[in-house]
Amino acid sequence: MGPLFSPTLMDDVTQTIHAALTMNGIVNIPKLAEEIRKRNEAENIALEDITAELLNQAQRHSAAMEFDGRTLAVQS
Protein backbone atom coordinates (compact mmCIF):
# COMPACT_ATOMS: atom_id res chain seq x y z
CA MET A 1 0.00 0.00 0.00
CA GLY A 2 1.33 3.42 -0.96
CA PRO A 3 1.27 6.61 1.05
CA LEU A 4 -2.01 8.29 1.83
CA PHE A 5 -2.19 11.60 -0.01
CA SER A 6 -4.53 14.20 1.42
CA PRO A 7 -7.18 15.67 -0.88
CA THR A 8 -5.23 18.95 -0.78
CA LEU A 9 -2.04 17.28 -1.99
CA MET A 10 -3.90 15.36 -4.71
CA ASP A 11 -5.49 18.62 -5.88
CA ASP A 12 -2.05 20.24 -5.96
CA VAL A 13 -0.68 17.42 -8.12
CA THR A 14 -3.63 17.62 -10.52
CA GLN A 15 -3.54 21.41 -10.79
CA THR A 16 0.23 21.40 -11.24
CA ILE A 17 -0.03 18.97 -14.17
CA HIS A 18 -2.79 21.00 -15.82
CA ALA A 19 -0.83 24.22 -15.38
CA ALA A 20 2.37 22.68 -16.80
CA LEU A 21 0.52 21.30 -19.81
CA THR A 22 -1.22 24.61 -20.45
CA MET A 23 1.93 26.71 -20.12
CA ASN A 24 4.61 24.41 -21.55
CA GLY A 25 2.88 21.45 -23.19
CA ILE A 26 5.16 19.15 -21.18
CA VAL A 27 5.35 17.85 -17.61
CA ASN A 28 8.82 18.05 -16.06
CA ILE A 29 8.38 15.29 -13.49
CA PRO A 30 11.37 15.87 -11.12
CA LYS A 31 11.07 19.66 -11.16
CA LEU A 32 7.34 19.66 -10.46
CA ALA A 33 7.62 16.93 -7.82
CA GLU A 34 10.11 19.04 -5.87
CA GLU A 35 7.88 22.13 -6.16
CA ILE A 36 4.89 20.15 -4.86
CA ARG A 37 6.95 18.66 -2.02
CA LYS A 38 8.07 22.11 -0.90
CA ARG A 39 4.52 23.50 -0.99
CA ASN A 40 3.27 20.56 1.07
CA GLU A 41 6.14 19.92 3.50
CA ALA A 42 3.77 19.61 6.45
CA GLU A 43 2.33 16.43 4.89
CA ASN A 44 5.71 14.68 5.18
CA ILE A 45 5.34 12.74 1.91
CA ALA A 46 8.53 11.45 0.29
CA LEU A 47 9.67 13.05 -2.95
CA GLU A 48 9.67 9.60 -4.58
CA ASP A 49 5.99 9.10 -3.74
CA ILE A 50 5.05 12.50 -5.15
CA THR A 51 7.09 11.71 -8.25
CA ALA A 52 5.24 8.40 -8.70
CA GLU A 53 1.84 10.10 -8.37
CA LEU A 54 2.84 12.81 -10.84
CA LEU A 55 3.96 10.15 -13.29
CA ASN A 56 0.70 8.22 -12.91
CA GLN A 57 -1.46 11.28 -13.47
CA ALA A 58 0.66 12.52 -16.38
CA GLN A 59 0.32 9.11 -18.04
CA ARG A 60 -3.47 9.25 -17.61
CA HIS A 61 -3.40 12.57 -19.50
CA SER A 62 -1.09 11.14 -22.19
CA ALA A 63 1.18 14.06 -21.39
CA ALA A 64 4.63 14.57 -22.84
CA MET A 65 7.08 14.18 -19.98
CA GLU A 66 10.58 15.33 -19.20
CA PHE A 67 12.75 13.62 -16.59
CA ASP A 68 15.45 16.25 -16.18
CA GLY A 69 15.19 18.43 -13.11
CA ARG A 70 16.77 21.34 -14.93
CA THR A 71 14.50 23.82 -16.71
CA LEU A 72 14.87 23.97 -20.47
CA ALA A 73 16.08 27.30 -21.80
CA VAL A 74 13.80 28.76 -24.44
CA GLN A 75 15.66 29.51 -27.66
CA SER A 76 14.82 32.78 -29.41
Side-chain angles (χ1 to χ4, degrees):
M1 183 172 154
L4 297 176
F5 283 45
S6 71
T8 302
L9 183 56
M10 288 300 288
D11 286 343
D12 192 0
V13 171
T14 301
Q15 290 175 6
T16 300
I17 287 174
H18 288 293
L21 287 172
T22 300
M23 291 175 54
N24 306 317
I26 192 166
V27 177
N28 185 327
I29 300 291
K31 178 181 176 287
L32 296 178
E34 180 62 22
E35 290 174 7
I36 292 168
R37 186 195 65 78
K38 286 180 180 178
R39 285 194 299 264
N40 297 278
E41 279 186 316
E43 300 223 16
N44 198 28
I45 301 291
L47 179 62
E48 294 81 10
D49 295 327
I50 295 169
T51 300
E53 183 59 33
L54 263 173
L55 181 60
N56 288 334
Q57 286 197 32
Q59 286 176 327
R60 280 187 232 130
H61 286 88
S62 298
M65 292 178 262
E66 179 180 4
F67 295 94
D68 184 2
R70 294 175 289 155
T71 303
L72 292 175
V74 177
Q75 301 282 330
S76 299

